Amino acid sequence: MVVLAKGELEQIALPAVQRAAPPLAAVPEVDLAMAAANAGARAVARACEEHGFFKVTGHGVPAPLLARVEAAAAAFFALPQQEKEKAAAAPGGGSPFGYASKRIGGNGDLGWVEYLLLGVSAAAPLPAAPAGASPCSFRDLLDEYVAAVRRMTCAVLELMAEGLGLEDTGALARLVLAGDSDSMLRVNHYPPRPEPGRLTGFGEHTDPQIISVLRSNATAGLEISLRDGTWVAVPADADSFFVNVGDALQVLTNGRFRSVRHRVMVSSARPRVSVIFFGGPPPRERLAPLPGLLDREGGRRRYRDFTWREYKTSAYRTKLADNRLGRFEFDTTPAAAAAASS
C-alpha cells in the first residue's frame, strides 16, 4: 500500500473542478509484425510528429513473459511495507534507484504510487533482486523482460530513423545498445483510490531519455497532453506497448519529434501496474541534431550542444512539470534570427 503522512493526500488530490479527461479518439498504432519498411516508417514518423506517442502491436514480446512479470510485480508490491523498504536506496546515498513510495524524485513531487527503479545497461544484468522477491528470481525475470523489450525498442528506433530520412537507420538504436547506455526500468504500482474522486498517480512530465516503452495491466489511468494542451485519456491495452518520445530524441531530431507530456491519474477501484523501459544514451554522449537533419531546415539549430550527463543532472534538479529543455534552447524568434544575421 502507499503510506501517506497527514496532509499529503490533499497535496496529491486534484481540485474538485477537474473532470475526467475524454478518451483519445484514435490512438496512433504501429504493427511491427505487419509494417512494411516504408509504410511503417512513415506511420512512426507521423505519430512522433503529431503526438510524440503511439501504440505498438505485433511487438513479438511473448505474452507468457508479460504475464509472469505482471504477477511478480504484483507479488512484490503485496509484501508488507517493511519488507519492500529493504529494497530502498540507502538514506543519504544520493541514488535514485530502489523502492520508493509516493515521493517522486527529491524536489517535492508526490503521487499515489509506489515503485521500483532499476538501472539497466546493454552490457550488464540487473542488480540483485529486491528483498522478498519471488523464489523464481525477480531479477532473472526482469533481465529476460528487458532483453526482449530492448530488441523491440531498437526495431522502433530504426523505423524512426528511416522515417526521418536518415541514411544510417541504426543511428538511434546504437545509442540504446551501447555498453554504457544509461537506461532504466521502472515498475509502478498505483493502488486503488482510497476515496471517491481522482488522485494524481504520477504528475505531468516529459521523459528525459530518448524513448520510453510502457506496458501496463488492464487498468486505465495514462493521459497525454495534445499539442493544443488538451488532456486525453489513453484506453488501457494490456496486449500492447505504448511509446513516448523523450526529450533527448526531441533534441536529436532538432524538434521535429516532440516529447509528449503525460501523467497518470488514479480513479479506479482496481490497482494499476505498469513497467516502463527508458532507453537512454551513454552519459558522455553529446546531444545534437543528427547528421542530415539540419540541412533540411536551413542549418538553424534549436538547441545548444550538451551531454546526456549534463542534461540528466539538470533535469533531476527540477520538478516534474517544469520545462526541462528550456535552458538548452536557442532563441529562435524572428527578432533573434534577424539579430544573428546582422
Side-chain angles (χ1 to χ4, degrees):
M1 64 178 293
V2 176
V3 180
L4 291 171
K6 183 178 179 181
E8 288 184 329
L9 181 60
E10 288 75 12
Q11 295 180 53
I12 293 174
L14 283 176
V17 295
Q18 179 82 17
R19 297 181 179 179
L24 181 59
V27 179
E29 182 176 328
V30 175
D31 185 342
L32 287 185
M34 301 295 291
N38 290 337
R42 286 196 299 270
V44 166
R46 185 167 56 251
C48 291
E49 291 168 350
E50 294 178 357
H51 294 297
F53 171 86
F54 58 94
K55 179 167 71 173
V56 173
T57 59
H59 45 72
V61 181
L65 173 60
L66 300 178
R68 286 161 53 211
V69 169
E70 183 178 322
F76 172 78
F77 289 117
L79 291 170
Q81 190 67 24
Q82 60 269 28
E83 289 298 312
K84 291 183 287 190
E85 289 181 353
K86 291 178 182 179
S95 171
F97 299 118
Y99 171 80
S101 171
K102 73 183 180 291
R103 291 182 174 83
I104 304 168
N107 300 301
D109 288 295
L110 295 174
W112 188 249
V113 63
E114 56 181 342
Y115 60 88
L116 277 171
L117 183 62
L118 304 170
V120 300
S121 76
L126 288 168
S134 64
C136 70
S137 178
F138 199 15
R139 179 196 62 194
D140 291 344
L141 185 57
L142 291 179
D143 272 338
E144 184 180 354
Y145 178 85
V146 168
V149 173
R150 184 185 282 118
R151 283 193 297 271
M152 182 262 290
T153 299
C154 288
V156 170
L157 288 170
E158 289 173 358
L159 286 174
M160 288 181 178
E162 185 172 348
L164 287 165
L166 300 179
E167 292 184 7
D168 181 3
T169 57
L172 295 172
R174 279 198 302 275
L175 296 175
V176 174
L177 286 173
D180 57 344
S181 67
D182 185 18
S183 298
M184 300 190 302
L185 188 75
R186 179 188 286 274
V187 186
N188 290 330
H189 173 237
Y190 302 93
R193 67 175 188 268
E195 57 185 43
R198 280 158 52 88
L199 295 177
T200 304
F202 210 108
E204 65 174 272
H205 64 286
T206 58
D207 294 330
Q209 292 83 2
I210 295 172
I211 188 172
S212 52
V213 181
L214 176 148
R215 187 261 171 187
S216 75
N217 63 0
T219 302
L222 177 63
E223 298 180 357
I224 66 169
S225 176
L226 302 180
R227 293 291 181 250
D228 64 1
T230 302
W231 285 96
V232 291
V234 178
D237 185 345
D239 297 323
S240 304
F241 284 85
F242 293 94
V243 172
N244 294 334
V245 170
D247 294 342
L249 184 54
Q250 180 169 322
V251 174
L252 290 167
T253 62
N254 203 38
R256 179 173 167 184
F257 293 175
R258 296 192 64 82
S259 54
V260 61
R261 186 163 289 271
H262 56 288
R263 66 189 182 190
V264 174
M265 302 306 302
V266 177
S267 60
S268 174
R270 297 178 300 171
R272 173 181 167 89
V273 174
S274 62
V275 184
I276 310 100
F277 172 75
F278 299 93
R284 292 187 175 87
E285 184 70 28
R286 186 159 292 280
L287 300 179
L290 293 164
L293 292 183
L294 284 180
D295 295 341
R296 302 167 200 168
E297 299 184 14
R300 182 177 298 177
R301 297 184 51 172
R302 297 175 182 268
Y303 307 95
R304 66 175 179 83
D305 277 7
F306 53 93
T307 64
W308 167 241
R309 174 179 287 148
E310 183 182 357
Y311 183 61
K312 183 177 176 181
T313 300
S314 172
Y316 283 11
R317 291 173 179 160
T318 64
K319 294 182 72 67
L320 281 176
D322 290 347
N323 175 15
R324 296 162 170 167
L325 275 176
R327 66 181 294 259
F328 297 92
E329 294 176 347
F330 286 127
D331 187 347
T332 57
T333 61
S341 62
S342 61

